């Protein structure tokens, strides 16, 4: 059976490279096996969720080549959660609690003082019907906790191998807040069952949730999907990424002019057994993904690596794959120009700088005018090709005795206005004789 996976962001901010790691791992695992990819907006937190963020997530995924097969929004699926909550209540697995946050905090402090783990003591289970009625009469509204089975929940984690959590070490999780709103835990399981999710691939910050959610899957009679928890991306200093800061958001990387596959390669290969290198297509990247070879240590990366990967990727990119974008940038010169400059690019937009150098005007430097005049007089007749530069500079060398840097640098500076850049044997035919003569001051 082909896999069904889901990427389930909360639309409470712009997703960053760490979030996209999760999306990409899901995409790679499902697509190489002919499976489906669901984009599920976990937007039960109505106060913090925004349409603008949801739209941006779809744009970010599409930019990276991920178009979901199915989209779902938790805010539109409340009836399903209500039905599931009713079933859990009937089964005695969902119970009302009336403690305020301050009461709970006080209890936790006491527990800690006694050296006990700050686990909810299930006091609400001992409330009598009269006590509950009295609290309701006071205007208290209950929040609802899931009654854990207090057992060792085990699963075979796709990344971490055999995993287990003793749910006796956990507080019964709150599934429904006092205002009736659902926390993420229950809706996620209900949707995973309803949408036929077979594999849950997510960050390792969800390992504890997994034990709880496996108990909920079982309580609802759903089949438990396979789980895999990948390490989280952090910067070199070990700092985690935050949606709130907006740093390294996919939108900002796109706007900075990075190639989607540079971002995808870094997001997927960091913290795995594979060397971090630019991979040309998602399909090729998918072939490299092996969940069991993702490291358990944090996936540290240096944001500057994106530039390096981006540059390397462009240096290998074929003209056909960028020709439309080059035209949109106002860059001409066809394949010859692309091949001449691609190894000098960090970002695609840099091609425009070199195109401007070809077209001119270029900055004039303090060159030896006599030398340039001699060189100009030796310029061969057109047509020019990649041998022209070699033949010409040989002639200039023979005529003037200049060699090495003294020969090449004044010519480069006069022709391009710069002291560095693409190989002149490729650039010179694009500049052409007329412009070359003018720049040499002839
Ligand atoms: N909305 C959750 C998150 O963004 C989804 C976790 C999951 O994949 O189950 O962390």
């Amino acid at each position: 059976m082909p896999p069904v996976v889901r990427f389930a962001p909360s639309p409470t901010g712009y997703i960053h490279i760490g979030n996209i790691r999760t999306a990409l791992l899901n995409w790679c695992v499902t697509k190489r096996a002919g499976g489906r990819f669901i984009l599920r907006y976990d937007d039960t937190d109505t106060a913090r969720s925004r349409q603008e963020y949801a739209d941006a997530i779809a744009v970010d995924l599409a930019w990276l080549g991920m178009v979901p097969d199915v989209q779902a929004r938790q805010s539109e699926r409340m009836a399903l959660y209500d039905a599931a909550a009713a079933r859990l209540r009937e089964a005695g697995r969902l119970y009302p609690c009336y403690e305020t946050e301050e009461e709970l905090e006080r209890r936790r402090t006491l527990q800690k003082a006694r050296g006990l783990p700050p686990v909810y003591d299930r006091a609400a289970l001992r409330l009598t019907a009269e006590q509950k009625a009295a609290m309701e009469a006071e205007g208290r509204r209950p929040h609802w906790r899931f009654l854990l089975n207090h057992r060792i929940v085990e699963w075979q984690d796709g990344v971490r191998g055999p995993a287990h959590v003793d749910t006796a070490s956990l507080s019964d999780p709150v599934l429904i807040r006092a205002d009736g709103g659902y926390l993420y835990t229950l809706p996620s399981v209900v949707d995973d069952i309803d949408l036929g999710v077979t594999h849950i691939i997510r960050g390792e910050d969800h390992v504890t949730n997994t034990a709880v959610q496996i108990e909920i899957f079982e309580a609802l009679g759903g089949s438990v999907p396979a789980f895999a928890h990948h390490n989280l991306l952090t910067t070199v200093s070990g700092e985690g990424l935050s949606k709130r800061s907006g740093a390294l958001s996919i939108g900002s990387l796109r706007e900075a002019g990075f190639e989607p596959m540079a971002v995808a390669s870094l997001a997927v290969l960091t913290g795995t057994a594979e060397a971090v290198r630019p991979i040309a297509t998602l399909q090729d990247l998918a072939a490299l993904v092996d969940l069991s070879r993702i490291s358990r240590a944090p996936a540290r990366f240096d944001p500057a690596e994106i530039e390096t990967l981006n540059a390397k990727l462009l240096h290998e990119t074929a003209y056909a794959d960028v020709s439309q974008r080059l035209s949109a940038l106002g860059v001409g010169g066809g394949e010859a120009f692309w091949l001449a400059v691609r190894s000098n690019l960090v970002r695609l937009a840099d091609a425009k700088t070199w195109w401007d150098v070809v077209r001119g005007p270029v900055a004039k430097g303090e060159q030896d005018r006599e030398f340039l005049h001699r060189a100009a007089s030796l310029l061969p007749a057109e047509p020019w090709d990649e041998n022209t530069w070699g033949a010409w500079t040989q002639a200039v060398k023979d005529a003037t005795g200049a060699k090495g840097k003294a020969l090449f640098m004044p010519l480069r500076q006069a022709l391009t206005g710069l002291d560095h850049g693409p190989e002149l044997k490729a650039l010179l035919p694009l500049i052409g004789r007329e412009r070359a003569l003018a720049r040499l001051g002839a």
Side-chain angles (χ1 to χ4, degrees):
M1 209 181 55
V4 179
V5 304
R6 84 297 193 276
F7 175 53
S10 306
T12 55
Y14 296 111
I15 56 170
H16 54 59
I17 188 163
N19 304 126
I20 217 69
R21 174 179 178 79
T22 307
L24 283 162
L25 287 171
N26 275 286
W27 179 268
C28 288
V29 164
T30 198
K31 287 300 164 187
R32 68 169 180 223
R36 287 191 301 151
F37 180 95
I38 299 169
L39 169 59
R40 186 185 82 201
Y41 293 107
D42 284 2
D43 59 353
T44 54
D45 181 347
T46 47
R48 287 172 57 223
S49 298
R50 299 221 321 244
Q51 184 58 39
E52 166 197 348
Y53 296 134
D55 293 342
I57 290 168
V59 170
D60 291 346
L61 292 182
W63 179 64
L64 286 151
M66 295 182 276
V67 178
D69 301 295
V70 178
Q71 291 201 36
R73 244 169 229 280
Q74 292 196 322
S75 55
E76 292 168 359
R77 299 167 60 81
M78 290 296 166
L80 284 172
Y81 315 143
D82 292 344
R87 287 179 52 202
L88 293 177
R89 265 185 212 110
E90 272 158 40
R93 298 296 297 275
L94 194 60
Y95 63 97
C97 303
Y98 295 86
E99 295 91 346
T100 63
E101 196 38 57
E102 296 74 59
E103 282 163 351
L104 291 171
E105 186 52 44
R106 217 173 310 128
R107 264 187 235 172
R108 283 193 289 261
T109 311
L110 275 176
Q111 284 169 314
K112 280 191 214 149
R114 293 201 203 114
L116 299 169
V119 171
Y120 179 61
D121 61 6
R122 294 182 164 175
L125 277 182
R126 296 185 292 274
L127 292 173
T128 62
E130 293 77 46
Q131 286 171 312
K132 287 186 213 170
M135 277 188 283
E136 299 263 349
E138 262 176 43
R140 287 215 200 186
R141 290 282 159 266
H143 53 274
W144 296 78
R145 287 187 191 262
F146 177 71
L147 187 69
L148 289 167
N149 265 336
H150 285 183
R151 64 182 179 91
I152 312 281
V153 174
E154 292 177 283
W155 73 93
Q156 184 63 31
D157 195 288
V159 174
R160 301 156 69 89
H164 68 271
V165 170
D166 182 356
T167 58
S169 68
L170 307 176
S171 296
D172 287 339
V174 177
L175 299 189
I176 308 174
R177 288 189 308 251
D179 66 4
Y182 288 97
L183 285 129
Y184 139 85
T185 318
L186 175 65
S188 180
V189 173
V190 171
D191 289 338
D192 290 336
I193 295 173
D194 185 60
L195 300 171
V197 169
T198 60
H199 293 71
I200 295 181
I201 303 166
R202 58 186 179 187
E204 63 188 8
D205 48 334
H206 286 287
V207 167
T208 310
N209 283 339
T210 296
V212 168
Q213 289 183 323
I214 287 176
E215 284 210 19
I216 300 177
F217 273 105
E218 290 173 354
L220 292 173
S223 59
V224 179
F227 284 91
H229 295 88
H230 63 77
N231 54 0
L232 301 180
L233 276 190
T234 72
T235 63
V236 250
S237 58
E239 239 173 287
L241 306 173
S242 125
K243 253 196 238 174
R244 232 159 291 175
S245 77
L248 293 163
S249 73
I250 300 305
S252 69
L253 295 172
R254 180 172 57 244
E255 273 152 35
F258 292 116
E259 300 298 306
M261 282 311 299
V263 175
S265 304
L266 184 69
V268 168
L269 298 179
T270 302
T272 73
E274 288 291 332
V276 178
R277 60 194 190 277
I279 306 297
T281 66
L282 270 190
Q283 209 180 342
D284 295 342
L285 192 58
L288 292 174
V289 167
D290 179 349
L291 294 179
S292 70
R293 296 181 78 215
I294 293 178
S295 158
R296 307 237 344 221
R300 283 173 199 252
F301 79 105
D302 177 355
E305 278 177 69
I306 304 177
E307 297 222 338
T308 316
L309 285 179
N310 204 74
K312 281 192 194 157
L313 191 68
L314 289 175
H315 302 173
E316 303 285 309
T317 298
Y319 176 63
D321 294 332
V322 283
S323 62
Q324 284 184 359
R325 289 167 63 204
L326 290 173
S327 311
L329 286 169
V331 171
E335 183 164 22
F337 172 76
W338 175 248
L339 295 179
V341 304
R342 67 175 179 180
S343 54
N344 286 77
L345 308 180
V346 175
R347 292 170 170 80
L348 190 79
D350 300 343
K352 179 70 167 68
T353 314
W354 295 117
W355 182 238
D356 290 342
V357 165
V358 167
R359 304 285 303 276
V362 300
K364 273 209 163 81
E366 298 290 298
Q367 291 116 356
D368 176 346
R369 291 177 59 194
E370 203 177 316
F371 173 77
L372 294 182
H373 281 156
R374 286 294 294 282
S377 69
L378 293 164
L379 270 177
E382 283 180 318
W384 284 2
D385 59 24
E386 73 278 8
N387 297 318
T388 306
W389 169 255
W392 177 46
T393 50
Q394 185 60 50
V396 176
K397 180 180 174 182
D398 293 344
T400 63
K403 53 180 196 264
K405 211 173 160 198
L407 169 65
F408 298 118
M409 196 49 86
L411 297 179
R412 175 177 284 282
Q413 282 170 340
L415 290 169
T416 68
L418 296 164
D419 56 12
H420 67 281
E423 280 191 77
L424 277 164
K425 77 175 188 182
L427 224 44
L428 187 64
L430 292 159
I431 292 170
R433 194 163 195 278
E434 194 184 330
R435 283 188 289 241
L437 282 173
R439 292 177 198 183
L440 293 165

